Amino acid sequence: MHSMMSKTLLVAALALVTVGSGVTGTPAFAAEKATHASPWPAVKWPLPNDPALEKRITALLATMTVEDKVGQLVQGDIASLTPDDVRKYHLGSVLAGGNSDPGGKYNASPAEWLKLVDAYYDASMDTSQGGKAIPILFGIDAVHGQSNIVGATLFPHNIGLGAMRDPALMKKIGEVTAVETRVTGMEWAFAPTVAVPQDDRWGRTYEGYSESPDVVASYAGAMVEGLQGKVGTRQFLDGRHVMVSVKHFLGDGGTTNGKDQGDTAVDEATLVRIHAAGYPPAIAAGAQSVMASFNSINGEKMHGNRHLLTDVLKGRMNFGGFVVGDWNGHAQVKGCDTTHCPATINAGLDMVMAPDSWKGFYESTVAAVKAGTISRARLDDAVRRVLRVKFRLGLFSAGKPSMRAVGGKFELLGSPEHRAIARQAVRESLVLLKNNHALLPLSPKQHILVAGDGADDIGKQAGGWTLNWQGTGTVRADYPNADTIYEGIAQQVKAAGGSAEHAIDGRYAKKPDVAIVVFGEDPYAEFQGDIPNLLYKPGNDTDLQLLKRLKAEHIPVVAVFLSGRPLWVNREINAADAFVAAWLPGSEGGGIADVLLRKPDGGVQFDFRGKLGFSWPKRADQYANNVGQKNYDPLFPFGFGRTYADKSDLAALPEDSGISGEVAGSGVYFIKGKPALGIAMQLSSASQAHMPAATVPALLADGSLQVTAVDHLAQEDARRFTWSGTQPASLVLATKTPVDMQRETNGDVMLIVSLRQESAPTGDVSIGMSCGANCGGSVPVGAALAKLPMHQWTTLGVPLKCLARAGADMTRLDAVLQLQSVGQLQLSMSRVALGALNEAEHVVDCAH
């Protein structure tokens, strides 16, 4: 592991961290702790005890009922919680999740956001139905700027910021994010993420600054100070700053095989040395909240881990804020569900994120306190921690959000000053991997072709957690204060007397002197981004062929790669003269032009200064690829990054990925008319169950269902299924090993089928999933099919929650699709995959 870093980890927190004696641990660590001093650092909490504040909290607690107190521990989401609910139950907090927006509009205006936040605040202060006037905390995922809001400044995602190695700039980024969050009324940002990703297959890799705990530790305190202000100054938690949630405690970046919400199977020393690196400096900077992680540590879910939440975080590390949960994360604790989990409060969680389960959780927790399952002392401790933060923020006297220091000052969103800081971050984040024949920097006086599907697409360059959870489905008009990469290049080229041409496919009108090709990963977030290996877009070589075609035409090529992680792109690197890792740069495409282009007089504008925060793989199966690990052998090592002073050329790279066979991305079950690896396509009826349909055409012996090949985007890349109606029959996509979709179900994910309806059904049609003998759930889709256009390709989504409610055990699925028709039906299908709510053109309504 990171032996070379263990000596320097705690230095990152400077003199604020010391090591001392141990505390009692859970059985997983009992043997180690019985014979050694505690490996956990003792941190100095920077806020002195305030007797006057504590007296005020004690007085308030004395007037509160059990119901009042429990309300403070519950956080609901705006999609499932109204201001009237807050008025009645006096919940302590409200959040807007990634897909939750005013009026259900992902592109709601800043004014609509502020009006909504005001309404929840007013409800929390309304005692007309009883309860106490205690202001809510309104939280939002402002993870790369206030990224939910149209017009906000969008910073590079953390993976790009980590490449800067610039803590001072991080503080400025935190300050801008705080101001723009306050403009729209929120006082709580669910940031920063201090994960230390160890397997780049993880879908949240881009939310980590680096695989190195040193880099993460160097940023954590700076970002907390930027967001909250500096402890001891008048700016700390004032109206231009927000409270933070340092996340996710603990081990989120270390799960086995990079599976989001999985199990981090490591010893305690590794937890301390690697995964806890960001917490001592964040606590020392006065972080007001820490978010518990979805993952397990050696089999024990963090939302129920008393040793780490209470003994270590609050005890050993002297954390003086409160611990908040993640989206229904408590439901994964043994013996719990979304609406009932005394164990999570007893373990040390102070506020439960119960987005759609808040009412049931509130009621069961009130009952648990009255029954003694949760002690009054634990209840009061949790409430005291929450109230303490609200008083520190000055919320009891702040008035409604629109009346605070910057509330409603929408001109601050994406202001020139803020965008300049983001543009600097883009410049500093770029990592130059190849620059053969010193092609870069380019003269702006040339004719420059800008190609690739990432060249003129803000959504793609911004990535996930942008206007919605997955960052998908947005349009150019959603980004009024932003420049695409092409726009940034074109502005400078034209100003210098050159010319720029944009063509996604590289089919130019005038042969260019040089081409800049911008391509990369499409947006994703959380587990939707988990991948089985480090192949780049397996089965799709469109970008590679574009690079090769331009090179064949003797055009020098600069590749700008957009990604949330290092990927195996040896072929693409070979096909380009220069290759830039641009990560997910956000709103300021001009920052890329600043580095790639010379000044009009030929001088260098800005040199490359980015250094890899993540090691780059030699092969697509190189998952253990972190600096300091045994047999460390990357293509480009941690810390690598060329500058214009480096004149050496990069030799051709080997093009063996190390992966064999056709591989689809995670959550894709049927693609290009064929089942993905690990999936078998079967036809089934009462007289002939589970007939393999590996080749086409295929026909059940009773004639009830037939499959043939058909074209969608390419020759025979889809399948046509024809039900005769002689008896019920099903198309089945069976898994070779059980599949667990519990996290996807909790995350409001859908099963999305790309299909073309060729004939209307004459009987009932259903889509379901199965989980073994006498286990499964299905929903009728006949009404949804009736609304689809005939003979046109479209997408139909079925929310996983519907299938779970219908009886499917989502933890052990053995068939991810069962499409049954009782009568006649003909439809074609090209793809079956998981996707977010906004990714399907039509959605099955199964609310009732």
Side-chain angles (χ1 to χ4, degrees):
M1 289 294 179
H2 296 249
S3 57
M4 64 179 285
M5 300 176 188
S6 58
K7 296 180 181 178
T8 57
L9 169 60
L10 299 184
V11 176
L14 302 175
L16 298 169
V17 179
T18 58
V19 176
S21 58
V23 292
T24 302
T26 59
F29 302 130
E32 183 175 356
K33 303 199 89 175
T35 56
H36 299 285
S38 171
W40 296 96
V43 185
K44 179 178 173 58
W45 178 247
L47 291 165
N49 184 50
D50 185 342
L53 173 60
E54 297 305 316
K55 183 177 180 181
R56 193 174 178 186
I57 296 171
T58 298
L60 179 55
L61 281 170
T63 68
M64 295 172 69
T65 65
V66 168
E67 288 78 5
D68 293 334
K69 292 176 180 179
V70 168
Q72 290 300 301
L73 309 189
V74 179
Q75 180 184 65
D77 182 82
I78 62 172
S80 303
L81 178 77
T82 66
D84 282 340
D85 292 326
V86 171
R87 185 173 289 106
K88 179 177 180 180
Y89 293 94
H90 284 277
L91 303 190
S93 181
V94 175
L95 84 147
N99 279 336
S100 301
D101 308 278
K105 299 185 298 182
Y106 80 90
N107 56 354
S109 70
E112 288 173 304
W113 274 104
L114 184 58
K115 181 179 179 182
L116 183 76
V117 179
D118 269 352
Y120 283 103
Y121 168 83
D122 287 342
S124 72
M125 302 301 286
D126 185 347
T127 59
S128 62
Q129 297 183 30
K132 296 292 175 183
I134 300 176
I136 58 159
L137 289 168
F138 199 115
I140 197 163
D141 285 290
V143 295
H144 64 128
Q146 171 56 315
S147 49
N148 298 269
I149 306 299
V150 169
T153 305
L154 300 174
F155 292 96
H157 270 295
N158 287 353
I159 191 170
L161 300 180
M164 302 187 312
R165 309 293 207 276
D166 190 344
L169 186 55
M170 288 300 302
K171 183 179 177 183
K172 292 181 180 180
I173 290 169
E175 291 169 348
V176 171
T177 300
V179 167
E180 296 200 11
T181 301
R182 282 287 202 160
V183 165
T184 48
M186 302 83 171
E187 58 273 311
W188 186 3
F190 296 145
T193 299
V194 296
V196 187
Q198 299 294 286
D199 189 322
D200 298 342
R201 292 175 290 179
W202 187 36
R204 305 192 80 159
T205 295
Y206 68 80
E207 296 187 55
Y209 297 118
S210 175
E211 70 189 35
S212 160
D214 287 345
V215 173
V216 174
S218 73
Y219 273 15
M223 191 61 172
V224 168
E225 200 165 282
L227 286 163
Q228 293 192 159
K230 186 176 178 62
V231 174
T233 69
R234 294 172 64 92
Q235 289 74 41
F236 181 63
L237 297 179
D238 70 1
R240 298 178 65 90
H241 291 86
V242 296
M243 65 172 284
V244 302
S245 272
V246 188
K247 64 184 188 181
H248 304 84
F249 191 83
L250 186 64
D252 49 348
T255 59
T256 302
N257 298 324
K259 180 182 179 182
D260 190 42
Q261 305 184 21
D263 185 40
T264 300
V266 299
D267 59 28
E268 194 161 19
T270 302
L271 277 181
V272 176
R273 188 175 69 251
I274 297 176
H275 299 292
Y279 291 92
I283 293 168
Q288 293 298 292
S289 79
V290 166
M291 184 178 289
S293 188
F294 278 116
N295 62 276
S296 306
I297 301 293
N298 297 318
E300 183 177 2
K301 282 291 180 180
M302 273 306 308
H303 277 66
N305 193 317
R306 188 182 189 281
H307 166 61
L308 292 175
L309 294 179
T310 298
D311 299 341
V312 170
L313 180 61
K314 295 178 178 178
R316 180 67 181 166
M317 292 205 279
N318 296 306
F319 171 58
F322 68 83
V323 180
V324 64
D326 207 340
W327 189 278
N328 278 331
H330 56 278
Q332 298 182 17
V333 175
K334 187 177 181 180
C336 293
D337 58 39
T338 57
T339 61
H340 180 267
C341 194
T344 198
I345 302 296
N346 288 334
L349 209 73
D350 301 305
M351 181 181 287
V352 175
M353 187 183 290
D356 54 355
S357 55
W358 61 268
K359 186 175 181 181
F361 190 90
Y362 167 87
E363 292 170 344
S364 71
T365 304
V366 167
V369 171
K370 291 182 176 180
T373 309
I374 299 171
S375 72
R376 299 296 177 107
R378 171 78 267 266
L379 175 66
D380 283 357
D381 171 61
V383 177
R384 180 178 290 273
R385 285 175 176 269
V386 172
L387 294 177
R388 196 180 280 137
V389 171
K390 291 184 176 185
F391 278 114
R392 287 174 184 150
L393 277 162
L395 296 184
F396 284 85
S397 57
K400 66 173 61 182
S402 61
M403 303 301 293
R404 298 174 191 170
V406 295
K409 294 186 177 181
F410 302 126
E411 67 275 9
L412 293 173
L413 295 173
S415 71
E417 296 80 8
H418 292 178
R419 292 186 63 187
I421 293 171
R423 188 163 175 161
Q424 179 184 349
V426 173
R427 290 195 297 264
E428 294 189 15
S429 70
L430 303 176
V431 180
L432 181 61
L433 299 180
K434 178 181 181 180
N435 191 25
N436 284 12
H437 316 300
L439 175 60
L440 294 172
L442 304 173
S443 167
K445 296 179 180 295
Q446 307 177 85
H447 179 56
I448 299 177
L449 171 68
V450 188
D453 67 358
D456 200 34
D457 188 335
I458 297 285
K460 181 152 181 156
Q461 72 190 47
W465 295 111
T466 304
L467 298 188
N468 58 59
W469 178 35
Q470 295 295 313
T472 55
T474 62
V475 297
R476 183 64 184 87
D478 297 329
Y479 305 99
N481 300 321
D483 288 319
T484 68
I485 295 170
Y486 166 69
E487 289 166 351
I489 292 169
Q491 288 164 13
Q492 294 190 27
V493 168
K494 291 173 183 176
S499 56
E501 180 179 349
H502 174 243
I504 291 178
D505 62 1
R507 304 290 181 182
Y508 47 80
K510 174 186 175 183
K511 186 172 183 179
D513 298 305
V514 64
I516 299 172
V517 180
V518 188
F519 63 99
E521 290 190 291
D522 294 321
Y524 56 82
E526 297 192 66
F527 45 77
Q528 288 294 92
D530 284 3
I531 52 177
N533 54 61
L534 299 179
L535 288 173
Y536 168 60
K537 290 191 174 177
N540 182 349
D541 64 353
T542 302
D543 301 318
L544 177 62
Q545 294 307 317
L546 171 58
L547 295 169
K548 286 184 172 181
R549 189 179 78 241
L550 292 169
K551 280 293 291 177
E553 295 170 6
H554 305 291
I555 299 169
V557 175
V558 178
V560 176
F561 187 53
L562 303 174
S563 74
R565 54 192 146 207
L567 291 168
W568 185 79
V569 284
N570 286 21
R571 297 177 302 172
E572 288 81 2
I573 293 173
N574 284 341
D577 297 288
F579 195 97
V580 178
W583 315 112
L584 299 168
S587 59
E588 303 313 309
I592 292 174
D594 290 343
V595 181
L596 298 190
L597 300 178
R598 292 182 181 273
K599 297 177 182 178
D601 64 7
V604 173
Q605 289 194 83
F606 295 93
D607 202 345
F608 283 90
R609 59 165 287 171
K611 304 299 179 184
L612 289 179
F614 290 81
S615 304
W616 204 278
K618 277 186 174 179
R619 302 181 316 277
D621 60 352
Q622 194 175 22
Y623 313 130
N625 190 35
N626 302 299
V627 63
Q629 286 182 334
K630 187 178 180 181
N631 300 320
Y632 178 65
D633 184 30
L635 177 61
F636 301 114
F638 169 82
F640 179 86
R642 295 173 181 264
T643 67
Y644 287 139
D646 299 320
K647 302 301 183 183
S648 61
D649 285 356
L650 179 69
L653 302 173
E655 296 193 356
D656 178 10
S657 69
I659 302 292
S660 60
E662 183 77 15
V663 180
S666 177
V668 178
Y669 306 116
F670 188 78
I671 185 169
K672 295 181 181 178
K674 297 179 180 179
L677 282 182
I679 303 292
M681 184 166 70
Q682 303 169 347
L683 308 183
S684 191
S685 68
S687 59
Q688 190 177 5
H690 310 301
M691 185 194 88
T695 59
V696 293
L699 175 68
L700 285 173
D702 58 19
S704 58
L705 177 57
Q706 180 182 26
V707 56
T708 56
V710 67
D711 299 345
H712 178 198
L713 300 175
Q715 185 176 1
E716 297 191 355
D717 66 340
R719 297 292 179 261
R720 177 171 292 163
F721 301 91
T722 304
W723 283 262
S724 68
T726 54
Q727 65 171 314
S730 301
L731 159 65
V732 179
L733 294 181
T735 64
K736 295 180 181 178
T737 57
V739 172
D740 183 350
M741 289 191 195
Q742 181 184 31
R743 58 183 187 166
E744 288 85 353
T745 305
N746 179 44
D748 288 332
V749 171
M750 294 191 297
L751 183 73
I752 300 178
V753 182
S754 298
L755 55 80
R756 181 175 67 190
Q757 191 170 198
E758 315 291 5
S759 71
T762 62
D764 292 339
V765 183
S766 65
I767 288 179
M769 293 181 173
S770 68
C771 38
N774 301 315
C775 178
S778 64
V779 295
V781 297
L785 290 176
K787 298 177 183 178
L788 300 186
M790 297 296 291
H791 311 298
Q792 293 182 28
W793 285 99
T794 188
T795 51
L796 179 66
V798 180
L800 296 183
K801 284 185 176 179
C802 298
L803 299 171
R805 284 198 295 264
D809 182 345
M810 307 303 286
T811 66
R812 55 183 185 94
L813 298 170
D814 61 5
V816 294
L817 175 72
Q818 290 182 320
L819 175 55
Q820 183 186 71
S821 178
V822 173
Q824 296 177 6
L825 171 66
Q826 186 178 72
L827 58 80
S828 300
M829 187 173 78
S830 63
R831 189 174 188 267
V832 178
L834 300 181
L837 287 172
N838 64 325
E839 293 177 23
E841 296 174 84
H842 306 272
V843 178
V844 173
D845 181 6
C846 52
H848 306 293

